[in-house]
Each structure stands twice: as C-alpha cells, then as structure tokens.
Amino acid sequence: MQRIMVIGCCGCGKTTLSRKLALKLNLPLVHLDVLNWRDNWNQVSHAEFDRLLSDEVKRNEWVIDGNYNRTIPMRLKYCDTIIYMDYPRLVCLFRAIKRILKGYGESRSDMGGNCPERFDMDFLKFIWNFNKNNRRKYLLMLDEAADKKKVIILRSRKDCLGFLQKL
C-alpha cells in the first residue's frame, strides 16, 4: 500500500483513518479539502483543483482523503489501494454534528484556508442522502477495480480498528 485512496460519507472518519494510515505507513497525507477550499468557503476552479490533484497523484506515495466524485477516476488511475468507509448514515450524521458543535466557528487543519465550522442544512442533507445517492455507484466502481487494486470496505468502527491493528 503506497497510494491509498480513502472515500466515504462525510462524518464517517476518513480524515481520522487517513491520518493514522499516513503515520503508521510513513506516507504523505493529502486532504482534498485543502486543495479545494480557500478562505470563507471559497472553492478553487475545477481547473486549479485538477492541476493540484494531478501533481499529488503522480507522486510515488500518498494517502488521499476525500471523495470529490468528479475526480475519483483520476485518483483511481494512480492508486493501488481503495478504502471505502461504508458507514450507516446515522453514524455519519451524528459524527458530523458532533464535529460541528465541537469546533463551531473554528477552521479544521484538514481544510484549506479559513473555513470555520458552521451549521449548513444542505451539508446535513448531503450526509443524509449520501448512501442513497452514492453507495451503489461506489460499490460497482470497487467491484470493477478489484482485479487491479486492493479494495478494503470498512463498515464500522470495529472494522476500522481491526484493519489498523493488522497493519
């Protein structure tokens, strides 16, 4: 595992797992949110994001944390391992709300620029509908990639802890 792509719903723990993987395997960590966001929740252009991401995926080693569905094919081309955190929506929603409450008004280190935590109903709706809108597509993508890539599906905190302990 030299190029690891970590995907899953917001609030599932992608960033936490990615940090632990990068530390344990001594790999550079790339947060897609850092590439995408600038101060006050302003996004870079698609062209700029694609350029920044292209520079990262061409490196020999990395853990990349985040979905950004439009760019999954680019990461898929270069990765050797895909970790899909397939968690229930209530778990993701609870964790996201907890993160918002804990860091309200502050910007996280895994975000680009100054993007303070806030309540955003569209974001919470996105989490609620994530599995309905993405799960089937992700599982199909993983099934198609399984002959060329290492595919790991984690469905619970227990799965995640067990996976980390086996490394």
Side-chain angles (χ1 to χ4, degrees), residues 2-7 32 49 53-54 56-58 62-84 137-152:
Q2 299 293 307
R3 293 175 170 174
I4 305 168
M5 178 173 138
V6 181
I7 58 174
L32 293 182
F49 183 83
L53 180 57
S54 179
E56 296 296 341
V57 296
K58 290 175 183 171
W62 41 258
V63 175
I64 295 182
D65 152 37
N67 294 325
Y68 292 80
N69 288 343
R70 184 182 64 78
T71 65
I72 283 178
M74 183 191 306
R75 283 172 281 143
L76 205 52
K77 178 180 173 182
Y78 290 93
C79 76
D80 57 42
T81 304
I82 308 161
I83 299 174
Y84 174 36
K137 173 177 49 180
Y138 279 20
L139 291 173
L140 180 61
M141 172 195 65
L142 296 174
D143 190 49
E144 290 172 358
D147 61 331
K148 301 174 206 138
K149 315 281 180 183
K150 183 174 187 169
V151 173
I152 300 161

Side-chain angles (χ1 to χ4, degrees), residues 24-66:
K24 195 162 195 165
L25 300 174
N26 197 30
L27 298 172
L29 176 56
V30 178
H31 301 289
L32 293 182
D33 284 337
V34 169
L35 303 182
N36 185 62
W37 295 107
R38 297 300 175 258
D39 288 345
N40 300 313
W41 297 99
N42 289 307
Q43 292 181 275
V44 300
S45 68
H46 284 330
E48 175 71 4
F49 183 83
D50 292 351
R51 185 189 62 72
L52 293 168
L53 180 57
S54 179
D55 290 346
E56 296 296 341
V57 296
K58 290 175 183 171
R59 298 180 192 279
N60 292 328
E61 300 177 319
W62 41 258
V63 175
I64 295 182
D65 152 37

Side-chain angles (χ1 to χ4, degrees), residues 91-102:
V91 169
C92 296
L93 192 61
F94 173 78
R95 287 179 173 181
I97 291 171
K98 182 179 169 185
R99 180 178 72 201
I100 292 166
L101 290 171
K102 187 177 178 184

